[in-house]
Amino acid sequence: MQPAFDCVDHDILLSRLQSSFGLRGGVLKWIRSFLSNRTQRVGFGGGVSSESRLLFGVPQGSVLGPLLFLLYTAEIFDIIAQHGLIGHSYADNTQVDISAPVSMAQTASSRLAASVEDLDRRKSWNGLKMNAEKTQLAWFGTRQQLTRLTISPLPVVSSVVDVTSTFTDLGVVLDDQLTMATHISTMCRSGFLYLCQLRTIRRSLTSEATQALVQAFIISRLDYCNSLLAGVTDSSPSRMGRLVATTTSRRS
């Protein structure tokens, strides 16, 4: 979706919180107060515009902002379920999944396209819009299954989405066979790049500063979603081992 958080209609949100989630009385008044009477200014070229009242949107960077947005868009899971599909969502990032044998791939693709069209139609009623440019389509399976797969690009709203062999999902690079090799390569390449950059300034840093930078830019990437790497059996983990060994050497 695009720009999702800024397009939340306050009246629709408050009505939905009351009708769909049973929020009433003081709780609803508190949320209305949280959303109401917010203003913004724009600074440009040393000048500042006059204040404008915000009639749409939830505050980004707040604890309640993402939660209110998810409640605002909760009905999308009912729409996805009506088409016999499974939906996952994290803030404004939504995935629609379908499982089917190779022989039913074309039918599954049609159902997927119909669900996306339905989602876009319902979202437009709420002031939201599907971001076709960031929409990706991937099929997962074994090498033998994927070679038998003949599937056309997916029509999404007013554009066509081609099938991709890899895509990034919340910072994790998934490939169509779920080998995680692309993700590991991307992570190692990024880690060694940061190590090279740290090497050029190492003598100017204290030991504590070096450890903090390594933790922030490298170790945190190795730790992120590392449970997805369980069971990976190819040569990719050895590259991670070299990165870890090099990182340990830099920290010591």
Side-chain angles (χ1 to χ4, degrees):
M1 288 176 284
Q2 62 177 21
F5 283 84
D6 297 329
C7 296
V8 174
D9 187 296
H10 294 170
D11 292 334
I12 295 177
L13 172 60
L14 293 170
S15 176
R16 186 160 299 157
L17 291 176
Q18 183 175 3
S19 61
S20 300
F21 301 99
L23 299 185
R24 294 178 174 83
V27 175
L28 193 62
K29 291 180 180 178
W30 179 64
I31 296 178
R32 179 180 287 109
S33 175
F34 175 74
L35 296 172
S36 303
N37 299 321
R38 289 185 175 273
T39 60
Q40 70 175 10
R41 291 182 175 182
V42 177
F44 179 76
V48 180
S49 69
S50 58
E51 284 190 352
S52 297
R53 185 182 176 187
L54 296 179
L55 303 177
F56 299 87
V58 291
Q60 298 188 44
S62 65
V63 175
L64 274 181
L67 177 60
L68 291 175
F69 178 79
L70 289 176
L71 295 176
Y72 185 75
T73 59
E75 68 171 5
I76 68 175
F77 295 102
D78 296 330
I79 301 171
I80 294 172
Q82 290 172 5
H83 291 270
L85 310 180
I86 300 174
H88 305 279
S89 182
Y90 183 85
D92 60 345
N93 188 313
T94 302
Q95 289 181 203
V96 182
D97 301 333
I98 185 171
S99 177
V102 175
S103 59
M104 298 293 293
Q106 193 61 52
T107 301
S109 180
S110 299
R111 289 171 57 193
L112 189 60
S115 70
V116 173
E117 291 287 345
D118 199 3
L119 281 173
D120 182 68
R121 185 163 52 251
R122 302 286 185 94
K123 285 178 180 179
S124 64
W125 296 349
N126 297 330
L128 302 177
K129 183 180 180 182
M130 189 80 69
N131 193 339
E133 294 181 357
K134 293 186 177 180
T135 300
Q136 296 176 299
L137 171 65
W139 289 92
F140 298 96
T142 63
R143 181 182 292 106
Q144 293 77 12
Q145 290 173 329
L146 293 173
T147 54
R148 294 167 51 200
L149 186 66
T150 55
I151 198 72
S152 303
L154 183 71
V156 176
V157 194
S158 57
S159 62
V160 176
V161 179
D162 292 321
V163 179
T164 179
S165 59
T166 62
F167 75 97
T168 303
D169 181 20
L170 299 177
V172 177
V173 184
L174 299 175
D175 59 274
D176 54 10
Q177 297 180 48
L178 295 179
T179 65
M180 304 306 296
T182 306
H183 175 70
I184 292 174
S185 297
T186 301
M187 185 168 50
C188 290
R189 184 167 57 250
S190 174
F192 280 116
L193 175 62
Y194 279 116
L195 280 177
C196 291
Q197 292 176 334
L198 287 175
R199 183 179 181 181
T200 61
I201 60 172
R202 175 65 182 87
R203 294 183 179 181
S204 303
L205 300 173
T206 63
S207 177
E208 292 77 10
T210 301
Q211 292 185 20
L213 290 172
V214 169
Q215 178 65 42
F217 293 107
I218 302 172
I219 301 300
S220 62
R221 295 173 182 268
L222 293 173
D223 289 340
Y224 181 71
C225 292
N226 57 14
S227 60
L228 294 175
L229 304 180
V232 174
T233 57
D234 65 5
S235 60
S236 297
S238 63
R239 284 178 287 171
M240 291 184 62
R242 290 196 297 271
L243 175 59
V244 172
T246 306
T247 301
T248 304
S249 175
R250 292 286 188 270
R251 296 176 68 185
S252 60

